[in-house]
Amino acid sequence: AQSVTQPDIHITVSEGASLELRCNYSYGATPYLFWYVQSPGQGLQLLLKYFSGDTLVQGIKGFEAEFKRSQSSFNLRKPSVHWSDAAEYFCAVGEGSNYQLIWGAGTKLIIKP
Amino acid sequence: GAVVSQHPSWVICKSGTSVKIECRSLDFQATTMFWYRQFPKQSLMLMATSNEGSKATYEQGVEKDKFLINHASLTLSTLTVTSAHPEDSSFYICSARMGYEQYFGPGTRLTVT
């Protein structure tokens, strides 16, 4: 069965430091990959997506992610985090004729001042 | 573009009553809409997939007679929680699919007293 693993339940990073959130997927075909962010009391916002082409994807708010087929990974990165980046981050894979999303468990990002 | 609204954003109801939540795609037509439930500090749990004009497909363990889904048009889907009980209290999120992507509503906080 398809699955998405986000191995880190929470990560604490100092403001201004770099960030990498891990995501591994299990999917037989070429995956449609997504990263979403959910701030407290807010809806889900799409950060970036990968369907095909360049494996390094740029998103909003200075985020990027790299698709590595050999490692079945789609890690999210940001060179310098801001306090406003504190939120829950979800990785997801789209599958099936309806492009249903398979979700990771989420990683909570905590920013130290 | 690609805005999805949900109404109401929060609702409190008494045990035994029914509650209807609306999900609308405001500026696009969505063949498929999804309903999710999210418990505190957890990922999204897909409840059902609904295609316009046909019956919703419910995920295993979701009671279709309790969570009634109607997708009467390409821009509107409704979720009715029937005979609500306190254990139905949760955050309900809808999404509408356009192409490969899902666009999410802001969610509805349901509290059953």
Side-chain angles (χ1 to χ4, degrees):
Chain A
Q2 289 79 2
S3 65
V4 177
T5 302
Q6 292 180 248
D8 304 304
I9 297 173
H10 53 78
I11 281 184
T12 302
V13 176
S14 297
E15 190 170 14
S18 64
L19 169 71
E20 183 169 32
L21 301 182
R22 295 183 291 165
C23 173
N24 292 94
Y25 65 90
S26 168
Y27 190 68
T30 300
Y32 299 110
L33 295 159
F34 305 84
W35 273 101
Y36 289 89
V37 61
Q38 187 179 38
S39 299
Q42 304 284 320
L44 285 155
Q45 183 178 24
L46 178 66
L47 285 175
L48 46 77
K49 60 190 182 234
Y50 172 79
F51 295 156
S52 65
D54 192 345
T55 56
L56 185 61
V57 180
Q58 301 298 321
I60 62 171
K61 303 186 179 186
F63 286 92
E64 67 177 27
E66 186 170 12
F67 169 56
K68 292 186 178 180
R69 185 186 299 276
S70 61
Q71 298 177 21
S72 297
S73 69
F74 189 56
N75 295 348
L76 181 71
R77 300 194 294 248
K78 186 169 185 178
S80 175
V81 297
H82 186 261
W83 64 267
S84 59
D85 294 323
E88 190 86 23
Y89 291 78
F90 294 98
C91 180
V93 172
E95 67 154 11
S97 58
N98 285 320
Y99 302 99
Q100 177 177 322
L101 291 175
I102 308 299
W103 295 87
T107 298
K108 182 175 182 177
L109 175 62
I110 301 165
I111 306 295
K112 283 193 304 185
Chain B
V3 178
V4 176
S5 69
Q6 263 183 262
H7 179 80
S9 55
W10 58 270
V11 57
I12 301 172
C13 71
K14 294 194 174 186
S15 188
T17 62
S18 296
V19 174
K20 180 185 283 189
I21 302 170
E22 289 189 352
C23 177
R24 293 182 185 270
S25 56
L26 298 184
D27 50 3
F28 67 101
Q29 293 184 328
T31 308
T32 307
M33 288 187 171
F34 301 87
W35 286 95
Y36 297 89
R37 185 172 178 176
Q38 187 179 32
F39 293 101
K41 301 184 189 298
Q42 293 190 27
S43 187
L44 282 75
M45 182 192 80
L46 179 65
M47 298 176 68
T49 302
S50 125
N51 288 297
E52 185 263 341
S54 59
K55 290 184 179 179
T57 301
Y58 291 81
E59 295 299 302
Q60 192 171 6
V62 178
E63 299 176 60
K64 62 181 180 181
D65 294 330
K66 180 166 190 61
F67 298 100
L68 300 179
I69 291 171
N70 184 280
H71 192 164
S73 78
L74 288 171
T75 59
L76 172 65
S77 177
T78 60
L79 168 68
T80 302
V81 184
T82 63
S83 186
H85 288 103
E87 57 264 32
D88 299 324
S89 298
S90 194
F91 192 54
Y92 293 88
I93 304 171
C94 75
S95 71
R97 181 175 71 83
M98 182 169 63
Y100 303 134
E101 293 186 47
Q102 291 184 31
Y103 298 88
F104 288 84
T108 297
R109 174 76 58 194
L110 170 62
T111 302
V112 185
T113 61

